[in-house]
Amino acid sequence: LLAGVLESYLQDLPEEKRYMFLRRYWYCDAVAEIAAGTGFSPSKVKSLLHRTRKGLKEHLRKEGYDL
């Protein structure tokens, strides 16, 4: 149910955004670690993660999960 909705959202993300999202929220990596691994600045990583979370929230609402 929820896992499938999350999986479909992540599959639709560009690879680098999916990588950053999973590193942060599945593996609990620090923003600085993600930035070092991607070549982005920490502020860019924070911004991309924020937009990805915002997109996930909207996706969940469309799928009937009210947050």
Side-chain angles (χ1 to χ4, degrees):
L1 297 160
L2 179 58
V5 172
L6 180 58
E7 184 178 344
S8 72
Y9 177 74
L10 291 174
Q11 285 179 347
D12 290 341
L13 287 177
E15 188 175 339
E16 69 183 16
K17 287 184 180 182
R18 182 174 49 243
Y19 172 81
M20 287 188 275
F21 187 88
L22 289 173
R23 296 304 307 182
R24 182 70 176 139
Y25 301 112
W26 182 260
Y27 296 103
C28 300
D29 286 350
V31 169
E33 290 178 74
I34 298 168
T38 60
F40 292 127
S41 68
S43 63
K44 176 76 171 178
V45 171
K46 287 179 191 177
S47 177
L48 288 170
L49 288 170
H50 174 76
R51 283 185 244 146
T52 304
R53 287 192 315 270
K54 188 175 177 183
L56 175 57
K57 186 175 183 178
E58 188 61 35
H59 182 75
L60 289 171
R61 283 194 175 143
K62 287 179 184 176
E63 295 294 325
Y65 291 92
D66 191 27
L67 304 175

